[in-house]
Amino acid sequence: MPFTLHLRSRLPSAIRSLILQKKPNIRNTSSMAGELRPASLVVLPRSLAPAFERFCQVNTGPLPLLGQSEPEKWMLPPQGAISETRMGHPQFWKYEFGACTGSLASLEQYSEQLKDMVAFFLGCSFSLEEALEKAGLPRRDPAGHSQTTVPCVTHAGFCCPLVVTMRPIPKDKLEGLVRACCSLGELLGIKELSKPAYGDAMVCPPGEVPVFWPSPLTSLGAVSSCETPLAFASIPGCTVMTDLKDAKAPPGCLTPERIPEVHHISQDPLHYSIASVSASQKIRELESMIGIDPGNRGIGHLLCKDELLKASLSLSHARSVLITTGFPTHFNHEPPEETDGPPGAVALVAFLQALEKEVAIIVDQRAWNLHQKIVEDAVEQGVLKTQIPILTYQGGSVEAAQAFLCKNGDPQTPRFDHLVAIERAGRAADGNYYNARKMNIKHLVDPIDDLFLAAKKIPGISSTGVGDGGNELGMGKVKEAVRRHIRHGDVIACDVEADFAVIAGVSNWGGYALACALYILYSCAVHSQYLRKAVGPSRAPGDQAWTQALPSVIKEEKMLGILVQHKVRSGVSGIVGMEVDGLPFHNTHAEMIQKLVDVTTAQV
């Protein structure tokens, strides 16, 4: 049972605590609230106060700073000011040169040292108990506090990993809870729920999701990291109730820009992501735009709601992305590739580079030289920022696919955490590869499909397929609809499934839309805070590097010109010219690109 001392200030700008009494001199760094809320204490030498204050400011999730005392204004509490339940019990941990050297019931014996020290009051980023009540959930004692692999942003010697607390939440109540508190933690690299760093073991019953919130106990690691000769901190479970309020607490969820939506994007490991209603609606608009059917192929029957949204959410969490493209439909020509696929792949690569993610392309070995030249030209003409690795895979076995995807073949350490196929020939149920005219092109295609199949069995690797006819890699997710509604679908339908199937009238459009959706997500305050796990500063919406990395009519015209220079043909007509799938670049494709960018960058 945690011990709590309830103290309300006599004046709105004052605070009482176990340490400061009668004439508190607290520098208020925030606005005030009428209700009491818990706070923990950290006491540091005056010389470290500015650095710790800044450390809190750049890690506001776990370290929301409510206020701080002024040096030389200390007055120790009389015995009667301490709650009877706390008399004789430790209230503080003492730190010397970074090591916790003991616990103390009071700081009276350090009254002289305290004259040159500053007390910091740290609260919660939001009222979790109130959020649980709003969501119709019973109040539960929090499970243990666990140290994660997520580092807080370092400042002037203060550095430590994020500590979180967990509560199991029923799946059907998850979105209601998120909306109630306008924020959410996530699975933050915790290996063992049964071995928390502080408190009791964490158990998540069947049908419930472990939800994590930043914990103020993160401050204990920060105190240890600075290795100061003397410091004090509240013992976990011993809090002070104050009416100081964090000025940077999330504002009320009154607008679509602040209302979160929750989306399940992975089962193994279990992973949910969030984005604002506004951002989600914009991405749905992109999905609707690219879902038109200029070739009258019947792709409307393949569309699944929110596949673009879920694919882009998953990509936003990825560290390393592997992209494949290449559909050798013109088997009687050299090269046999078509102009649909590479432009969309390169557009996505460009935006992933702007997000500072690792990215590589994998292609058929016979087409390696072609794609190497295409990428070199794209860099030279400013379509891509830098060169990227171009890989090949000949396959041979399940073990070979796993060895390719994982470091040293170990499924616990994947090299990539998201695979993307954009207009890539996909393996049919009979093991062959077919173009839209039902011609078998297996002799031109390497078994890159095996990587997507292997990824299904490796926790932590997700996949996306982008297609416009149902015979592309990843379209196995909609293969029944392909067989029923697409010409020759009973033969050509790809049998290999991706986690997310993005359907577009032209596959390049799907690549452009993924890049645009990532821009929207990274510009979304709700999603950005979730990605940062509430630590570190946010980047400004519409970051200049992101804006420049978006697809544009000028860049995509250059990209298509590069393909024409290398004699790559249009998929439908076979023409070497400025068209894709028989549709002219000017007007049709240029118009789509501009519409996508306009929706993406529009101010709400």
Side-chain angles (χ1 to χ4, degrees):
M1 175 72 67
F3 291 100
T4 306
L5 183 67
H6 295 265
L7 295 170
R8 184 182 295 274
S9 62
R10 293 187 229 173
L11 299 173
S13 61
I15 181 173
R16 285 192 169 191
S17 74
L18 293 168
I19 305 170
L20 303 176
Q21 284 288 315
K22 294 183 179 178
K23 297 180 181 179
N25 195 330
I26 306 299
R27 183 156 58 88
N28 184 7
T29 62
S30 56
S31 59
M32 302 300 301
E35 297 184 359
L36 296 177
R37 57 182 297 170
S40 59
L41 296 173
V42 169
V43 184
L44 293 169
R46 173 173 20 192
S47 60
L48 294 178
F52 186 72
E53 181 178 9
R54 180 57 183 160
F55 181 72
C56 293
Q57 290 170 349
V58 296
N59 296 286
T60 55
L63 301 171
L65 183 58
L66 305 182
Q68 64 189 79
S69 71
E70 293 289 349
E72 301 179 357
K73 302 293 184 180
W74 289 81
M75 292 191 69
L76 291 169
Q79 289 292 323
I82 301 176
S83 169
E84 291 183 4
T85 60
R86 292 299 301 158
M87 290 294 291
H89 289 274
Q91 301 176 67
F92 304 100
W93 274 340
K94 175 185 174 184
Y95 288 84
E96 295 176 287
F97 298 99
C100 182
T101 58
S103 58
L104 303 166
S106 85
L107 300 182
E108 188 169 5
Q109 60 185 299
Y110 296 98
S111 58
E112 285 303 313
Q113 291 92 327
L114 291 176
K115 292 178 180 178
D116 199 39
M117 300 183 83
V118 174
F120 292 88
F121 298 81
L122 302 173
C124 301
S125 55
F126 51 82
S127 173
L128 176 54
E129 300 305 326
E130 183 180 351
L132 289 168
E133 189 173 322
K134 285 182 180 179
L137 293 166
R139 297 195 176 199
R140 295 178 174 177
D141 288 336
H145 298 257
S146 284
Q147 187 167 288
T148 71
T149 58
V150 180
C152 289
V153 174
T154 300
H155 181 74
F158 288 100
C159 59
C160 61
L162 175 67
V163 175
V164 296
T165 184
M166 185 275 279
R167 280 176 174 78
I169 303 297
K171 291 180 181 179
D172 61 347
K173 298 288 187 178
L174 186 58
E175 182 148 10
L177 175 62
V178 175
R179 292 197 173 195
C181 60
C182 297
S183 187
L184 179 66
E186 64 172 323
L187 299 174
L188 300 173
I190 296 173
K191 301 295 185 184
E192 294 284 348
L193 295 183
S194 61
K195 298 178 181 178
Y198 313 96
D200 299 325
M202 296 187 281
V203 177
C204 195
E208 298 193 345
V209 178
V211 180
F212 297 84
W213 280 266
S215 167
L217 296 192
T218 303
S219 63
L220 299 180
V223 170
S224 181
S225 71
C226 71
E227 298 185 349
T228 184
L230 183 65
F232 306 98
S234 299
I235 288 179
C238 179
T239 59
V240 174
M241 299 302 292
T242 174
D243 54 5
L244 286 169
K245 181 181 179 183
D246 180 12
K248 297 185 178 180
C253 297
L254 302 176
T255 67
E257 292 78 22
R258 295 298 314 181
I259 301 174
E261 287 187 0
V262 179
H263 296 277
H264 182 202
I265 59 173
S266 172
Q267 186 59 36
D268 189 13
L270 182 65
H271 194 179
Y272 290 79
S273 190
I274 63 174
S276 70
V277 167
S278 175
S280 299
Q281 288 174 344
K282 289 178 78 170
I283 294 173
R284 292 186 180 109
E285 186 174 353
L286 299 181
E287 185 174 64
S288 177
M289 291 169 61
I290 65 173
I292 63 172
D293 190 3
N296 296 314
R297 301 179 185 180
I299 67 166
H301 298 287
L302 314 184
L303 297 173
C304 299
K305 183 182 178 183
D306 284 349
E307 292 291 286
L308 178 64
L309 175 58
K310 292 178 182 178
S312 55
L313 283 168
S314 181
L315 273 169
S316 74
H317 290 276
R319 168 191 51 82
S320 180
V321 181
L322 180 66
I323 300 174
T324 185
T325 189
F327 206 122
T329 190
H330 301 297
F331 52 89
N332 288 326
H333 296 275
E334 182 57 39
E337 271 66 31
E338 62 167 303
T339 52
D340 193 16
V346 169
L348 180 56
V349 167
F351 203 80
L352 292 171
Q353 284 183 331
L355 297 178
E356 300 179 352
K357 296 183 185 292
E358 297 176 17
V359 59
I361 286 181
I362 184 167
V363 299
D364 297 311
Q365 187 174 47
R366 57 157 188 84
W368 186 90
N369 286 332
L370 171 65
H371 286 91
Q372 180 71 21
K373 292 175 183 176
I374 289 171
V375 169
E376 288 174 354
D377 290 349
V379 173
E380 184 179 336
Q381 296 194 33
V383 178
L384 276 180
K385 184 178 179 180
T386 59
Q387 179 67 270
I388 59 168
I390 300 178
L391 312 176
T392 63
Y393 174 76
Q394 268 62 61
S397 66
V398 173
E399 291 75 18
Q402 181 171 297
F404 183 92
L405 290 173
C406 302
K407 297 173 184 176
N408 301 317
D410 182 2
Q412 298 298 317
T413 55
R415 295 171 60 195
F416 311 99
D417 38 26
H418 203 112
L419 312 182
V420 182
I422 301 178
E423 190 66 17
R424 168 71 192 176
R427 185 184 298 153
D430 63 3
N432 292 317
Y433 297 80
Y434 297 95
N435 66 12
R437 295 181 294 278
K438 205 168 63 169
M439 302 300 295
N440 188 355
I441 55 174
K442 183 177 181 178
H443 61 291
L444 296 172
V445 182
D446 290 340
I448 292 172
D449 306 63
D450 290 346
L451 301 179
F452 281 67
L453 293 171
K456 287 284 187 182
K457 300 178 181 179
I458 301 174
I461 303 183
S462 299
S463 59
T464 296
V466 179
D468 57 17
N471 56 342
E472 301 87 2
L473 178 54
M475 294 298 105
K477 186 170 184 178
V478 293
K479 60 187 176 184
E480 295 305 322
V482 174
R483 289 167 181 159
R484 288 196 303 268
H485 300 290
I486 302 297
R487 186 169 178 250
H488 303 313
D490 56 331
V491 175
I492 71 173
C494 176
D495 198 51
V496 179
E497 180 177 338
D499 295 318
F500 313 106
V502 176
I503 311 299
V506 176
S507 293
N508 282 341
W509 299 352
Y512 304 150
L514 281 170
C516 290
L518 285 168
Y519 177 96
I520 292 169
L521 290 175
Y522 273 75
S523 299
C524 167
V526 170
H527 186 68
S528 175
Q529 182 183 17
Y530 187 68
L531 282 179
R532 292 183 288 110
K533 302 173 179 68
V535 298
S538 61
R539 292 175 70 170
D543 183 284
Q544 187 66 23
W546 300 343
T547 304
Q548 292 176 350
L550 280 170
S552 70
V553 172
I554 293 174
K555 286 195 294 185
E556 299 315 315
E557 184 175 19
K558 287 181 180 179
M559 189 65 211
L560 187 54
I562 291 169
L563 295 180
V564 170
Q565 181 182 346
H566 292 287
K567 305 213 175 341
V568 178
R569 299 169 182 270
S570 173
V572 173
S573 66
I575 291 174
V576 177
M578 296 296 287
E579 69 172 49
V580 180
D581 279 355
L583 303 169
F585 177 80
H586 296 289
N587 298 324
T588 304
H589 298 289
E591 185 175 311
M592 175 60 71
I593 294 163
Q594 193 59 55
K595 285 181 178 179
L596 291 172
V597 174
D598 288 345
V599 168
T600 299
T601 57
Q603 297 295 319
V604 178

